[in-house]
Amino acid sequence: MTPAPTTTPLPPVAPEVVAAAVEALTSRLRKKLDAAVEQYAALPVTAAADGTGCTVRCGEDAEVTLTPGPGGAVTDAAQAVCSCLLAPRCLHRAAVLGACPIADTDAVAHGDGDGLPEDAGSSDTAPGGLTPADGPPGEGDPAPGAAADGAPATVTRTATTPVAATPTAVTPTAAQVLAAAALRSAAAAVLAAGVPAAGAVLQADLLRAAHTARLADLHRAEAAALRVVRGLRSARARHAGHRLADLVAALRDLLLTTFATGGDEVDAALLGGARRAYRPGGSLRVHGVCREPVLTATGYGGVVTHLVTEDGRWFSVADVKPGGPARARGAGTAPVAVGSAPIDHARLSRSGLLVSGATVSADGRLGAGRGVRANPVAGLDWSSGPLARLFARPLAEAAAERLADGPLADPEHTGRVRGLVGCDLMVLGAAADCVTAREAGPDGSATGPVIRLRAALGHPDLAHTGNLAQLAAHPGVLVRVLGRVDPDRAATLRPLAVGPVPGAERTLRLPADWQGRADLGYDRLRGEHFPPGGGPVPGTAPDGSAAEGPDPLTDSPLWRVRTLVELAVAGGRRAAAESARSGDPRAAAAALRRTGFRTAAELTSALVAEADRRGRDAFGRLDDPDPEAYAASWLAVALHLTAAERELVRATWGAGAGAADPS
């Protein structure tokens, strides 16, 4: 009896397996590949009776069977089999593999399937590479190149305080130079083609080059290439969670690392490092700070619980697996997989753990090998220890430090910008899609610039949006906020948790079992949690609304540069060249020069000129121009735009800091 189709998701596939399957196709079949991928992605997936794999029926005589390894990913060509006569060099097999998500490289290398996806890190995705930067490093901090002790059964990651280091110049090996050149060529071809033309064949070329880069220890470039492929797939499938800005950032980082690796010397940070290398971490006593739900565009869901030691070192324990909002919601009360401790994430966020025999990786993950032991201990109050120092620091100073990383920073290890900040705020009210507030002084008065509070995750199944609406409905209330600085928006925080301000009368009144904090992604704020009475505060309208304040990022003419940069990615070289013929770039360059952005004007003019440049061969026929020269011109504009926007965002945090509310 044929099993009924289920909603079983397709398993992730290693990049090299997808690339090899596409490479084996004939040129005739490659032309049909994009349509086949779209067709087979919509077919039902049938789970195997023994639960070891799944099948996709592609026709009357073609059925593709995928049998993932122990880590849940297809890591070998033999694990993908088609029943047709042309197998394994058939369109069915290549198209089904092309419809599968790209496996995380940690899961491929170690077979445990516990690595966070590469799209982790933004406010709308899983928080990979979490590295808050408060407090001194300690003896438990990891060192690169250490041996592994064991791997956890679920995602278990910590974030340790990074040590400030000066750039280290290294000489790339011949293999690294060759791998970077191949990856740069593939990335330039994708950029020149644009999203509509960057189909499965170009993606496979990029995946093949990414695998070669991994073998050559170009880990940052390989991770960027995988993010580009995921972004291309999301854009071509028109996923609701797709952001063109994320694809632009991934392409920018990929081209930056590959161009830089072609020289005699390169900053070691541009080469990156392997994400797994465990060493003994000794004994750790960590205290829960808050929980953060995780949702990614690539289908992962779960929770991250942030922890801190008494000497100020930060860690985080995560449980992130394939799944959607229900997975993220349920993981908030799931057991913590560290040393079989009898504690769940909800309790851990308000208590702590005493871990012995800890193993820590170079990028800050806590292993859960057989020798790890953990026992629950009492928690740490927000008003004492390292957290008290975190909230005592001026918000403008903390934000400036978080935004110190420039465009050369590795997006997977931007520990500084991902670091949590704490502050006491006075809520002003609602403005557009955010809550406005100002930093509360020692006497409870509102000072400094207007701060925008935006939901860390806007999914309706999570509590962020509803909790911010409750805060907006109570102007004048004082709240202690723990969150992240949004590096792409003017004076914006993404709050993760809130609590009452010690000693304040008009502040939150949380239940005793919440222990003085509310996780905005899980706990639901209600009317009884707010002080009675109140009303509009100075600087707000009678209906509780408040002005957002000036936004130099939105008001600056840099939007013209961003439009061109994103158009080049979305439409390819041809779209950028067509924009040059319309005369818009010349008008944009003139507007940039008039407002003082002369470098941006010169770079954008050079980009559109390069996009429209085409040579002729010996017979006078137009030939295809060099895509790498065009990619270099685009990269120069993208890097300048990133640096300029970051400086404008930094300015919004410092403007008016310490000044009293003029109203």
Side-chain angles (χ1 to χ4, degrees):
M1 180 177 178
T2 303
T6 68
T7 57
T8 301
L10 289 168
V13 179
E16 63 271 20
V17 175
V18 180
V22 175
E23 202 173 89
L25 296 178
T26 63
S27 58
R28 181 180 65 86
L29 292 179
R30 289 190 183 189
K31 296 178 181 178
K32 302 179 180 181
L33 182 57
D34 287 333
V37 169
E38 184 176 354
Q39 176 186 355
Y40 296 160
L43 294 177
V45 181
T46 304
D50 56 0
T52 58
C54 61
T55 59
V56 178
R57 179 164 290 279
C58 304
E60 294 183 0
D61 57 348
E63 185 176 77
V64 178
T65 302
L66 303 178
T67 309
V74 176
T75 59
D76 189 271
Q79 295 173 340
V81 179
C82 182
S83 60
C84 77
L85 297 178
L86 293 179
R89 301 185 176 187
C90 64
L91 182 63
H92 313 107
R93 179 175 176 272
V96 171
L97 289 174
C100 294
I102 301 298
D104 179 67
T105 50
D106 282 348
V108 172
H110 296 268
D112 53 17
D114 66 346
L116 286 174
E118 268 80 359
D119 64 348
S122 72
S123 61
D124 297 321
T125 60
L130 304 169
T131 318
D134 290 288
E139 296 178 357
D141 288 342
D149 173 82
T154 58
V155 178
T156 307
R157 167 170 298 191
T158 66
T160 57
T161 304
V163 180
T166 56
T168 303
V170 297
T171 302
T173 65
Q176 288 176 329
V177 172
L178 290 175
L183 196 50
R184 180 171 63 247
S185 178
V190 166
L191 177 63
V195 170
V201 175
L202 284 181
Q203 293 173 27
D205 293 341
L206 198 55
L207 291 175
R208 169 64 73 185
H211 178 62
T212 304
R214 179 179 179 82
L215 297 179
D217 290 332
L218 296 179
H219 300 285
R220 177 172 170 179
E222 182 236 3
L226 296 186
R227 292 198 305 273
V228 169
V229 173
R230 291 187 175 107
L232 288 173
R233 291 184 173 187
S234 179
R236 291 172 60 85
R238 297 180 177 87
H239 288 161
H242 168 70
R243 294 178 67 246
L244 182 58
D246 293 338
L247 178 56
V248 169
L251 261 173
R252 182 188 66 230
D253 192 57
L254 175 57
L255 289 171
L256 170 65
T257 53
T258 53
F259 271 111
T261 309
D264 295 333
E265 286 189 345
V266 61
D267 186 349
L270 293 176
L271 300 181
R275 297 173 68 186
R276 268 185 199 235
Y278 287 90
R279 60 161 288 178
S283 298
L284 296 173
R285 187 185 183 96
V286 293
H287 304 277
V289 178
C290 67
R291 290 172 295 167
E292 178 182 6
V294 172
L295 274 179
T296 78
T298 51
Y300 286 78
V303 65
V304 172
T305 298
H306 299 278
L307 312 166
V308 67
T309 63
E310 294 179 358
D311 59 357
R313 289 180 292 148
W314 284 79
F315 294 83
S316 67
V317 177
D319 180 4
V320 181
K321 295 179 181 179
R327 173 79 178 86
R329 199 169 54 247
T333 55
V336 174
V338 177
S340 301
I343 192 172
D344 58 28
H345 283 271
R347 183 182 168 197
L348 176 60
S349 66
R350 293 178 168 92
S351 59
L353 282 178
L354 180 60
V355 185
S356 61
T359 55
V360 187
S361 70
D363 63 347
R365 306 187 201 195
L366 188 64
R370 288 176 295 180
V372 178
R373 299 291 183 270
N375 294 296
V377 294
L380 196 64
D381 190 79
W382 277 13
S383 59
S384 61
L387 290 175
R389 296 192 296 271
L390 183 69
F391 288 104
R393 190 177 188 186
L395 180 57
E397 179 184 323
E401 180 182 289
R402 297 297 183 266
L403 297 171
D405 286 339
L408 300 183
D410 186 351
E412 287 213 336
H413 298 88
T414 50
R416 191 147 45 185
V417 74
R418 293 289 296 169
L420 303 183
V421 297
C423 57
D424 294 339
L425 299 177
M426 175 184 285
V427 175
L428 301 181
D433 60 344
C434 64
V435 179
T436 56
R438 274 199 170 107
E439 190 171 9
D443 59 350
S445 61
T447 63
V450 174
I451 308 299
R452 301 161 179 84
L453 303 179
R454 296 183 184 271
L457 280 173
H459 198 282
D461 287 354
L462 300 173
H464 291 103
T465 303
N467 285 331
L468 289 184
Q470 284 285 353
L471 288 174
H474 295 82
V477 69
L478 297 176
V479 291
R480 176 155 282 188
V481 177
L482 189 70
R484 288 197 188 91
V485 173
D486 189 332
D488 301 321
R489 295 178 182 268
T492 300
L493 278 179
R494 301 280 183 170
L496 302 181
V498 295
V501 176
E505 181 178 348
R506 185 165 172 75
T507 188
L508 294 176
R509 302 178 178 182
L510 302 179
D513 58 345
W514 287 15
Q515 298 183 18
R517 67 199 71 172
D519 297 327
L520 293 181
Y522 293 103
D523 301 321
R524 298 277 180 176
L525 295 177
R526 306 188 185 280
E528 60 265 26
H529 299 152
F530 293 86
V537 297
T540 65
D543 61 355
S545 62
E548 290 191 58
D551 188 346
L553 183 60
T554 301
D555 298 337
S556 77
L558 287 176
W559 65 267
R560 304 173 187 271
V561 184
R562 175 160 291 282
T563 298
L564 178 61
V565 168
E566 292 182 346
L567 174 66
V569 174
R573 182 173 192 155
R574 180 176 298 179
E578 289 295 332
S579 71
R581 299 187 185 97
S582 67
D584 291 341
R586 288 189 291 272
L592 289 168
R593 290 190 183 94
R594 285 196 305 269
T595 51
F597 291 94
R598 290 183 291 273
T599 302
E602 294 172 3
L603 292 174
T604 53
S605 298
L607 174 60
V608 295
E610 179 62 33
D612 201 28
R613 182 184 63 81
R614 296 191 68 181
R616 294 184 180 272
D617 60 14
F619 300 98
R621 296 171 299 190
L622 290 173
D623 60 1
D624 292 330
D626 180 16
E628 292 196 20
Y630 170 70
S633 183
W634 179 88
L635 176 62
V637 179
L639 287 175
H640 179 78
L641 174 66
T642 301
E645 288 184 335
R646 179 62 60 85
E647 286 305 311
L648 287 177
V649 171
R650 280 165 57 91
T652 63
W653 287 97
D661 187 347
S663 59

